[in-house]
């Protein structure tokens, strides 16, 4: 295994077996640049590839931050809806983009079966879109559309902040994803709403990005 990677041992909260997941050493993560929807481009190893954890024994999969927070009732849902159909296979070790896509799709399938807030669905759908962007595959658009639906639902229904995710960032994502899928008028409406909101003044970088993207969208809309 690449020496920037290491395995961590934990108990699967669904089947209670001892499992291993592969993580990336922090010092190996070198940021090269950011896309306008917060997709981070790394030099060398991409830690996003390793952020969807899978239990090889029962098929439970989730983002690392959520993985160990599975309640008893949700563990039962995994057992009946996932494990029954699961063929044991390993997900540890080095991952390429296709292996990452498989792990993220399993995490999404688990979340559909278990249920969760729209912000959790958004996290998976936007990452699936980014993985397809790396592959330069048009399926990126399908996942951007799903993520946009999730962010819009999250904005309407959830209480902010959700961890580090605040209301302004949610508005920015709704605006930027609308721009990326070609809904320029919707994007302009959301960028304007964000720029004029009093909360945005506390986040200078986001406000600056929103202004840049607002002008870019205006140009795209008339060309
Ligand atoms: Zn398990």
């Amino acid at each position: 295994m690449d020496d920037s990677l290491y395995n961590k041992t934990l108990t699967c909260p669904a089947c209670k077996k001892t499992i291993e997941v592969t993580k990336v050493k922090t010092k190996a993560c070198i940021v090269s640049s950011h896309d306008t929807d917060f997709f981070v481009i790394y030099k060398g190893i991409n830690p996003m590839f390793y952020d969807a954890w899978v239990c090889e024994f029962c098929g439970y999969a989730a983002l690392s931050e959520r993985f160990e927070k599975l309640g008893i009732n949700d563990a039962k849902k995994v057992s009946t809806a996932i494990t029954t159909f699961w063929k044991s296979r390993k997900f540890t070790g080095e991952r390429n983009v296709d292996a990452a896509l498989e792990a993220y799709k399993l995490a999404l399938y688990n979340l559909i079966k278990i249920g969760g807030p729209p912000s959790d669905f958004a996290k998976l759908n936007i990452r699936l879109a980014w993985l397809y962007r790396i592959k330069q595959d048009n399926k990126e658009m399908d996942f951007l559309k799903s993520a946009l639906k999730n962010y819009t639902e999250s904005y309407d229904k959830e209480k902010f902040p959700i961890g580090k995710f605040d209301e302004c960032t949610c508005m920015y994502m709704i605006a930027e994803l609308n721009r990326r899928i070609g809904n320029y008028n919707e994007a302009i409406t959301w960028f304007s709403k964000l720029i004029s909101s009093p909360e945005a003044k506390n986040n200078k970088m986001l406000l600056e990005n929103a202004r840049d993207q607002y002008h870019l969208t205006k140009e795209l809309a008339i060309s």
Side-chain angles (χ1 to χ4, degrees):
M1 192 159 74
D2 190 305
D3 61 6
S4 344
L5 302 172
Y6 65 99
N7 282 349
K8 175 185 146 103
T9 303
L10 66 149
T11 304
C12 170
C15 69
K16 308 294 179 204
K17 287 188 176 142
T18 303
I19 60 163
E20 282 191 322
V21 292
T22 301
K23 296 184 72 173
V24 183
K25 291 177 188 162
T26 315
K27 65 171 197 267
C29 304
I30 304 159
V31 174
S32 161
S33 60
H34 296 88
D35 271 358
T36 49
D37 60 357
F38 303 125
F39 168 50
V40 184
I41 299 150
Y42 290 90
K43 282 181 193 151
I45 210 147
N46 187 337
M48 181 177 66
F49 286 10
Y50 299 88
D51 208 27
W53 292 355
V54 185
C55 169
E56 61 175 286
F57 301 111
C58 71
Y60 169 55
L63 274 182
S64 61
E65 62 177 29
R66 183 187 151 113
F67 193 87
E68 288 174 277
K69 295 177 185 160
L70 188 81
I72 296 169
N73 286 334
D74 292 340
K76 282 182 195 150
K77 289 184 198 165
V78 172
S79 165
T80 47
I82 312 279
T83 313
T84 319
F85 311 100
W86 180 249
K87 286 192 179 78
S88 179
R89 58 192 195 276
K90 274 195 182 297
F91 278 80
T92 47
E94 209 165 325
R95 279 182 184 172
N96 59 17
V97 66
D98 291 309
L101 270 170
E102 199 186 351
Y104 274 90
K105 283 183 181 169
L106 278 167
L108 182 60
Y109 187 68
N110 268 265
L111 188 60
I112 291 166
K113 296 294 176 188
I114 297 165
S119 54
D120 277 359
F121 282 89
K123 277 181 203 162
L124 287 175
N125 278 316
I126 192 70
R127 281 165 181 77
L128 280 157
W130 292 337
L131 289 168
Y132 279 114
R133 186 175 305 166
I134 292 170
K135 281 172 73 82
Q136 297 182 314
D137 185 318
N138 269 341
K139 288 197 190 84
E140 177 193 344
M141 284 298 148
D142 300 336
F143 285 97
L144 286 180
K145 284 175 191 165
S146 298
L148 172 60
K149 194 173 147 262
N150 303 146
Y151 283 120
T152 310
E153 249 182 74
S154 174
Y155 183 82
D156 288 340
K157 294 179 186 164
E158 288 187 81
K159 256 197 151 70
F160 290 93
I162 306 157
K164 288 180 194 161
F165 184 57
D166 62 25
E167 197 170 347
C168 291
T169 310
C170 188
M171 287 164 85
Y172 178 88
M173 289 306 280
I174 295 170
E176 175 61 10
L177 298 190
N178 266 305
R179 184 193 73 78
R180 282 183 177 258
I181 63 169
N183 295 341
Y184 298 138
N185 290 336
E186 273 291 296
I188 289 165
T189 305
W190 280 94
F191 280 129
S192 311
K193 193 169 164 176
L194 172 59
I195 292 164
S196 60
S197 84
E199 294 83 22
K201 290 182 179 52
N202 303 321
N203 192 335
K204 292 233 153 44
M205 212 170 81
L206 191 76
L207 193 58
E208 217 168 276
N209 285 342
R211 285 197 182 114
D212 288 347
Q213 294 311 97
Y214 171 79
H215 292 301
L216 173 67
T217 317
K218 281 259 180 187
E219 278 169 32
L220 288 167
I222 52 170
S223 61

